[in-house]
Amino acid sequence: MASVGKGDNRPVPRRLVTLFQRFSSIGVILGVLVPIAVITAIHYGTSHEHHWVHDVMRRAYYLPIVVAAIRMGLLGGLASATLVTGVYVPHAFLVHHHFDPARNLEKILEIALYYTVAVVAGYLSDRENQRNAELQQALDEQQSLTKQLVRAGRLSALGEVVAGIAHEIKNPLHALAGTAEIVDPIIPQDANERRMWDIHRREIERLGRVAEQFLSFAKPKPIKTEPIDLVVVAKRFVTLVDAQARQKGIQISIAKTSESTTVFGDLDQLAQICLNIAVNAIKAMDDHVGGQIEIRMGRETLKGKSMAFLRIENNGPAIDEVNLEHLFDPFHSGGDGAGLGLSISSQIAEQHSGFIEAENTDMGVAFTLYLPT
Ligand SMILES: Nc1ncnc2c1ncn2[C@@H]1O[C@H](COP(=O)(O)OP(=O)(O)OP(=O)(O)O)[C@@H](O)[C@H]1O
Ligand SMILES: [Mg+2]
């Protein structure tokens, strides 16, 4: 439960709206509003000769005030104390058959005590909520750190194996590509075997690309750092995917930003991250009519750190929960890919002290690359 009192940084009008919503929740209606209504009804319905009933009812109001303060913090406590005062004052001072000048001071003190109890209980409840929130945040951070460590360990072990395999593939592949180049002009363009030969060459090329990808996963290239505007990164990778996107009827748009989005990094490698994300988006929208990719850049403060971001959002189908959990794991593919694109991308982002976030949005799917400015 988010606190609405101390430690809540939202503007007061929004906190009041939240408070109003909470007051209409079933728990608060049963724990606060119904008891206040019942106590008030007994209070007003009992004749003034039964002093003891009125004494008990006046004190019974503390119960809903404390419940409100515990459930909704300081603001909730104060709101319920005000409500209780509102229903109690006419009874205490205005209804003539209950009018009792001798006990006025006692009644005023009682109202002051309603507020005191509300403030103390509300303050304690807010403090407790704040502590719980801090504890939860620390726990979340620790869990994400543990996940990162496990992943880093798995990646380095995998990296060694993959590097070995890629190396073993690359040497014979080199020989195959070389001989194919020599044989190619010998096979006439109109020969029956030509179609099979073209498949042969295409597959050799594809294997070469996969081996290259395996190697860049296993042995990340060192990064050159220079000041780069993310707008330049966006333009670079859009040039690379534009033709492929247009062929599939997908529109790519880049939103302008007035914020400075300069980061320190390696232009080629940052463009590589975006390229991997964009190629995935294009693949995901294969059967989608009216496909769109929107690119947006800007700045955000995350945990007190100023970060620039580049967001690539497409209007294709959402990623299911299980897939979303493992998107950045090496060799995890929801299709027929090697499952390395996003894993390599997140490695590069980490080398730049940044990270990538993936989420399903109203539009479809969004990947955001965050980098320190
Ligand atoms: N924009 C997207 N919309 C829907 N699914 C996506 C999107 N981007 C990634 N995915 C899912 O994430 C999976 C992992 O992506 P990743 O780029 O790591 O591997 P791949 O594309 O399968 O293979 P590779 O990139 O190595 O050729 C994809 O297979 C796809 O299922
Ligand atoms: Mg991919």
Side-chain angles (χ1 to χ4, degrees):
M1 182 169 65
S3 154
V4 288
K6 184 174 169 276
D8 189 333
N9 298 325
R10 292 171 305 155
V12 171
R14 277 197 56 196
R15 284 161 63 185
L16 287 177
V17 169
T18 314
L19 187 68
F20 180 76
Q21 285 166 348
R22 292 230 184 124
F23 257 102
S24 41
S25 79
I26 193 79
V28 173
I29 290 175
L30 290 179
V32 180
L33 299 181
V34 169
I36 290 178
V38 170
I39 295 164
T40 306
I42 298 175
H43 223 159
Y44 280 80
T46 309
S47 80
H48 64 288
E49 296 103 56
H50 303 296
H51 266 287
W52 66 274
V53 177
H54 292 280
D55 283 346
V56 170
M57 287 304 118
R58 214 173 338 134
R59 265 130 224 176
Y61 278 133
Y62 288 110
L63 204 69
I65 291 175
V66 170
V67 172
I70 289 172
R71 292 191 67 110
M72 297 177 289
L74 185 58
L75 270 182
L78 286 175
S80 62
T82 306
L83 180 65
V84 164
T85 306
V87 293
Y88 174 57
V89 161
H91 175 272
F93 301 107
L94 304 178
V95 179
H96 81 276
H97 61 273
H98 288 295
F99 191 69
D100 180 2
R103 299 177 66 198
N104 270 1
L105 183 65
E106 193 187 318
K107 291 169 188 169
I108 290 169
L109 276 177
E110 197 81 55
I111 291 169
L113 266 177
Y114 291 156
Y115 279 96
T116 311
V117 166
V119 168
V120 172
Y123 169 77
L124 289 177
S125 153
D126 279 348
R127 207 177 58 172
E128 187 64 21
N129 285 340
Q130 169 99 356
R131 278 200 195 142
N132 283 346
E134 279 167 9
L135 211 66
Q136 188 59 45
Q137 195 183 350
L139 207 68
D140 288 347
E141 270 167 24
Q142 198 197 17
Q143 270 175 353
S144 111
L145 206 68
T146 313
K147 257 191 198 166
Q148 271 177 27
L149 283 175
V150 170
R151 211 176 130 242
R154 229 174 22 201
L155 279 181
S156 79
L158 258 177
E160 280 174 34
V161 178
V162 168
I165 296 172
H167 191 75
E168 287 307 306
I169 291 175
K170 274 192 88 176
N171 286 342
L173 202 60
H174 216 70
L176 282 175
T179 47
E181 223 167 278
I182 296 165
V183 174
D184 189 56
I186 302 170
I187 302 176
Q189 290 297 331
D190 53 359
N192 281 342
E193 293 78 13
R194 186 75 213 182
R195 206 175 54 83
M196 279 186 286
W197 177 245
D198 283 343
I199 294 174
H200 182 86
R201 279 182 48 216
R202 257 205 321 273
E203 290 305 302
I204 289 178
E205 273 169 29
R206 192 165 79 94
L207 206 53
R209 279 199 303 274
V210 171
E212 218 36 78
Q213 217 183 5
F214 274 36
L215 273 179
S216 69
F217 160 74
K219 291 202 179 114
K221 291 189 203 122
I223 54 168
K224 295 182 289 196
T225 47
E226 52 185 352
I228 301 163
D229 192 341
L230 288 182
V231 176
V232 177
V233 177
K235 284 184 181 152
R236 162 79 68 105
F237 86 84
V238 168
T239 319
L240 296 172
V241 288
D242 205 32
Q244 195 188 348
R246 242 182 301 161
Q247 199 184 23
K248 296 193 170 175
I250 295 168
Q251 275 195 343
I252 303 185
S253 61
I254 304 181
K256 286 211 169 75
T257 176
S258 54
E259 293 171 319
S260 158
T261 48
T262 302
V263 297
F264 283 87
D266 189 312
L267 175 59
D268 285 340
Q269 300 212 33
L270 292 180
Q272 179 68 47
I273 295 179
C274 301
L275 188 68
N276 289 346
I277 295 173
V279 168
N280 283 344
I282 292 172
K283 235 195 264 176
M285 291 193 293
D286 244 357
D287 327 307
H288 194 83
V289 184
Q292 273 178 18
I293 295 180
E294 282 181 13
I295 298 151
R296 200 155 58 78
M297 280 136 296
R299 273 174 92 131
E300 235 175 74
T301 304
L302 296 176
K303 291 184 190 157
K305 244 173 133 183
S306 168
M307 307 287 268
F309 69 82
L310 193 160
R311 186 178 165 93
I312 303 173
E313 193 167 7
N314 73 72
N315 64 345
I319 305 176
D320 63 71
E321 281 302 315
V322 183
N323 209 346
L324 205 57
E325 273 266 301
H326 298 284
L327 274 188
F328 298 98
D329 290 355
F331 305 108
H332 170 84
S333 173
D336 57 359
L340 282 175
L342 290 178
S343 156
I344 292 171
S345 299
S346 81
Q347 252 183 17
I348 301 175
E350 274 165 30
Q351 275 182 292
H352 283 80
S353 312
F355 62 95
I356 305 172
E357 227 173 53
E359 61 190 323
N360 290 319
T361 62
D362 290 342
M363 178 177 166
V365 175
F367 283 81
T368 313
L369 166 67
Y370 288 94
L371 295 165
T373 51

